[in-house]
Amino acid sequence: MSIVVATHGEEVAPRWTDWDETALETPQQGFIWIDVVDAEGESIGKLQRVYGLHELAVEDSMSTTQFAKVNFYSDHVFVVAKAAELCGDQIEYTDVSIFLSEGRVITVCRMETAFGGRLRESIQRIAARNIKSPEYVVHEVLDLIVENYFPVVQTIADEVLRMEKRLLDDSLDRDEIARIFQLRRETIHFQHVLTRMNEVCNKLANLDVPCVASEARPYFRDVLDHLIRIDTMSTGLIDVIRAALEASSLLEQQRQSAITRQLAAWAAILAVPTAIAGIYGMNFTNMPGTNTIWGYWVLMGVMGSISAFLYWRFRRLGWLQSDPPKPKFTDRSPRSPEEMHL
């Protein structure tokens, strides 16, 4: 649990210091940025009492099941955004709550994460831009979140393409198929998060939002453009995953069909000597060739000739090959999920 504060707009470069639990004076040509890491709600409760934050917004900031959204209150704007990071085969989300008011912005994370560290490091970039309004911090937060969406989509795409190429050489095992389904579920859920994030950025970019100057709207439109691009990439990625699953099913059916044909061909070849030997084994009298010296060899020759003819015929049809010939493909696979969609 920690609360740190940085003052922007003064002659001294902003830096993080511990909050002294009092209402800080806002500089005339700047703003105050307060960052909170609070899992229990104690710190945000102190800020609520000092700055009069709305109780519903405070309650939402402590929830772990909130969607990305924008709420408007009398003297501040409340924003919930979703940061994402791929851990193994699962996408882990970090809720980032933002309280924006005149001359002040408060960012809240439930626990210490790698994203929280990057967020606090962004204070230097904001200071270098000589920003005087707190809404640009909101843009910086959203831009950092969306920037981290790209490697999530690209990593999943690389993994799916790797398994897709392996399909041509061998069938996927149970664990790999389960992994594809897991990645598909994660990608679909990620697309739902993108939809809500699109709504947030669309409101900040196009509506007359309190505490957001018209000069700041193009910055939110830039974030919205990046979100639209990522949404297109994720749509293409879902299509690729679906195609990989269908290809896996079709190739497995092809392999089973090849095995079935192979077994049927050998059964037909072995059926000829089995049938002839069965007939002559019934001990009938006056069977052709039974009372001659050459009868045995003629019978063996007939069985061998028919079996050899069937073997030649089935092999020519490709029924006796253990693996069907692999087609030769030109490697024109796309290098990114966006290219896949296009």
Side-chain angles (χ1 to χ4, degrees):
M1 181 181 69
S2 66
I3 305 179
V4 292
V5 59
T7 303
H8 293 255
E10 295 181 339
E11 296 181 359
V12 181
R15 61 185 181 88
W16 293 114
T17 58
D18 292 335
W19 182 53
D20 60 4
E21 300 187 11
T22 61
L24 302 175
E25 183 178 353
T26 304
Q28 294 182 352
Q29 298 296 326
F31 61 93
I32 296 172
W33 180 6
I34 302 175
D35 186 66
V36 183
V37 177
D38 185 8
E40 303 298 332
E42 181 180 349
S43 296
I44 192 65
K46 295 178 181 178
L47 290 169
Q48 179 185 13
R49 290 189 293 270
V50 173
Y51 291 109
L53 304 178
H54 199 281
E55 60 179 354
L56 292 178
V58 172
E59 181 181 348
D60 289 344
S61 69
M62 289 294 100
S63 173
T64 58
T65 58
Q66 286 296 317
F67 295 106
K69 63 179 182 179
V70 178
N71 288 342
F72 306 119
Y73 298 99
S74 59
D75 60 345
H76 60 274
V77 177
F78 177 65
V79 180
V80 177
K82 290 276 190 180
E85 186 174 1
L86 185 63
C87 298
D89 294 337
Q90 292 185 338
I91 301 177
E92 294 186 355
Y93 297 95
T94 301
D95 288 355
V96 182
S97 302
I98 307 171
F99 297 85
L100 174 64
S101 59
E102 293 294 339
R104 183 181 64 251
V105 60
I106 301 174
T107 53
V108 181
C109 292
R110 290 296 307 276
M111 56 190 63
E112 290 283 358
T113 60
F115 174 81
R118 292 192 294 269
L119 180 61
R120 293 191 178 186
E121 291 173 0
S122 65
I123 188 176
Q124 303 301 329
R125 292 198 302 271
I126 294 177
R129 291 165 58 187
N130 196 24
I131 292 173
K132 303 298 184 182
S133 301
E135 62 264 34
Y136 291 95
V137 174
V138 181
H139 162 261
E140 184 70 25
V141 174
L142 296 178
D143 188 57
L144 184 61
I145 289 174
V146 173
E147 182 181 319
N148 291 331
Y149 285 166
F150 282 100
V152 171
V153 177
Q154 191 62 57
T155 302
I156 296 177
D158 293 341
E159 182 63 24
V160 172
L161 288 176
R162 184 191 65 79
M163 288 188 283
E164 187 183 49
K165 290 179 180 179
R166 206 185 141 220
L167 280 172
L168 298 177
D169 299 323
D170 194 9
S171 60
L172 299 179
D173 56 30
R174 183 182 181 88
D175 291 339
E176 287 177 315
I177 292 177
R179 190 177 187 188
I180 289 182
F181 275 106
Q182 175 68 24
L183 293 175
R184 181 172 178 266
R185 286 195 298 268
E186 293 294 329
T187 305
I188 291 175
H189 179 62
F190 179 66
Q191 199 167 39
H192 294 162
V193 172
L194 290 177
T195 300
R196 301 303 296 260
M197 287 292 292
N198 271 325
E199 295 176 1
V200 170
C201 292
N202 187 51
K203 288 181 179 179
L204 296 174
N206 298 309
L207 297 182
D208 187 12
V209 179
C211 308
V212 176
S214 58
E215 294 81 4
R217 292 179 188 174
Y219 292 88
F220 293 107
R221 292 194 190 101
D222 180 69
V223 178
L224 180 60
D225 290 341
H226 291 167
L227 276 171
I228 293 174
R229 181 186 173 192
I230 296 173
D231 187 55
T232 302
M233 293 170 62
S234 63
T235 301
L237 180 56
I238 292 175
D239 292 339
V240 170
I241 294 175
R242 185 182 298 111
L245 291 172
E246 292 175 355
S248 177
S249 177
L250 290 174
L251 290 175
E252 187 62 29
Q253 291 177 12
Q254 183 186 28
R255 293 185 183 99
Q256 292 178 358
S257 177
I259 294 173
T260 302
R261 289 196 303 267
Q262 189 178 9
L263 293 174
W266 282 112
I269 293 172
L270 295 176
V272 174
T274 301
I276 295 176
I279 293 173
Y280 274 84
M282 289 187 291
N283 297 321
F284 289 121
T285 59
N286 299 323
M287 296 286 289
T290 53
N291 296 321
T292 63
I293 299 175
W294 47 265
Y296 172 80
W297 299 108
V298 170
L299 194 62
M300 294 298 292
V302 170
M303 289 190 295
S305 298
I306 296 175
S307 298
F309 171 76
L310 290 176
Y311 178 85
W312 170 80
R313 184 60 179 169
F314 285 131
R315 187 166 184 83
R316 187 173 181 181
L317 292 173
W319 282 35
L320 294 177
Q321 296 181 13
S322 57
D323 292 317
K326 294 183 177 65
K328 296 182 179 180
F329 293 98
T330 302
D331 187 8
R332 296 180 180 177
S333 58
R335 297 294 180 242
S336 71
E338 190 175 24
E339 293 174 339
M340 297 180 228
H341 183 70
L342 296 176

